[in-house]
Amino acid sequence: MKGIGVAIIKKIIGLLFLIVLINGVVACNKDVVKEGKMVTLEDAEKLFKGYSTELYTIKDPANPPTSDDIAKNIKVYLTEEHYNAEIANRKFQIPELVAKQINKSIEVQDVTLEEQSKNDDGTIDYLYTTKFKVYDNTSSKLYEKEGELTITTINDELKIKREWSRGVEIDGMDVGGL
């Protein structure tokens, strides 16, 4: 009788160990899912390129879009909290001010993302690089801006929850840049 009890306890412990092992494998293989499909790096890059293009593109430095116009176009890319924070920080005024001060156009050339982590709350953290061309009729120069980005899914849509960078100094600016 004593041997049967020990065998049953060993089987229960073995079964519990197996359950914990399977649970660990599943947890380590978490994927962020958007409406039944996995969020891809391409989806995230498409979102961020749209955001960057709306934010930084200034075709005519003498008549740039206003910060209100930029903010209206950007809203679809951001969570409500991040949008309100960027309004408070006056971020949408920066491209307009830079273009006017240096009297040059600004164009986003490319964005690249590098996934850093998939978080328990369903968000994904990335490092990013945005390449800009600042130009006029006589000159053109490329700049790179690096930063961090967090993307989330709200109502089955990807949104930027957080974006941070040190900025990049632009030639011709007294202080600051993009």
Side-chain angles (χ1 to χ4, degrees):
M1 196 70 157
K2 189 176 182 183
I4 295 175
V6 171
I8 292 174
I9 291 174
K10 284 183 180 182
K11 285 183 181 183
I12 291 173
I13 290 174
L15 185 60
L16 287 174
F17 177 75
L18 185 60
I19 290 171
V20 169
L21 182 65
I22 290 171
N23 201 16
V25 169
V26 169
C28 290
N29 193 25
K30 66 180 176 186
D31 286 322
V32 177
V33 175
K34 176 186 170 233
E35 202 171 278
K37 68 175 187 173
M38 192 168 85
V39 175
T40 65
L41 184 62
E42 292 78 24
D43 292 336
E45 284 182 338
K46 181 179 176 185
L47 173 77
F48 190 61
K49 182 157 189 176
Y51 163 78
S52 297
T53 300
E54 289 291 343
L55 178 60
Y56 294 112
T57 299
I58 306 288
K59 293 179 181 176
D60 180 4
N63 188 26
T66 66
S67 60
D68 289 339
D69 292 335
I70 293 171
K72 187 170 71 173
N73 293 336
I74 289 279
K75 191 170 188 171
V76 298
Y77 297 98
L78 306 175
T79 63
E80 190 69 29
E81 296 82 17
H82 189 58
Y83 176 79
N84 291 332
E86 296 295 36
I87 292 279
N89 290 333
R90 301 180 182 173
K91 180 172 186 169
F92 306 136
Q93 294 177 349
I94 294 171
E96 173 189 5
L97 296 172
V98 169
K100 280 183 175 178
Q101 184 172 345
I102 62 174
N103 196 30
K104 293 186 178 186
S105 299
I106 303 169
E107 181 180 305
V108 173
Q109 297 289 296
D110 192 28
V111 299
T112 55
L113 299 180
E114 179 185 331
E115 187 177 302
Q116 292 301 294
S117 63
K118 292 178 181 173
N119 305 309
D120 291 336
D121 64 356
T123 61
I124 308 173
D125 294 327
Y126 298 93
L127 293 179
Y128 73 81
T129 302
T130 303
K131 295 180 183 177
F132 303 94
K133 179 170 82 170
V134 177
Y135 64 97
D136 61 14
N137 292 335
T138 61
S139 67
S140 176
K141 184 170 181 181
L142 292 177
Y143 294 90
E144 284 190 7
K145 179 178 182 176
E146 296 179 339
E148 300 172 4
L149 177 71
T150 301
I151 292 180
T152 190
T153 303
I154 297 176
N155 297 328
D156 298 322
E157 292 184 7
L158 292 180
K159 299 283 185 179
I160 297 169
K161 182 177 181 176
R162 176 187 67 91
E163 188 250 333
W164 175 88
S165 77
R166 293 188 193 274
V168 61
E169 290 185 27
I170 303 294
D171 293 348
M173 292 289 299
D174 298 332
V175 175
L178 295 174

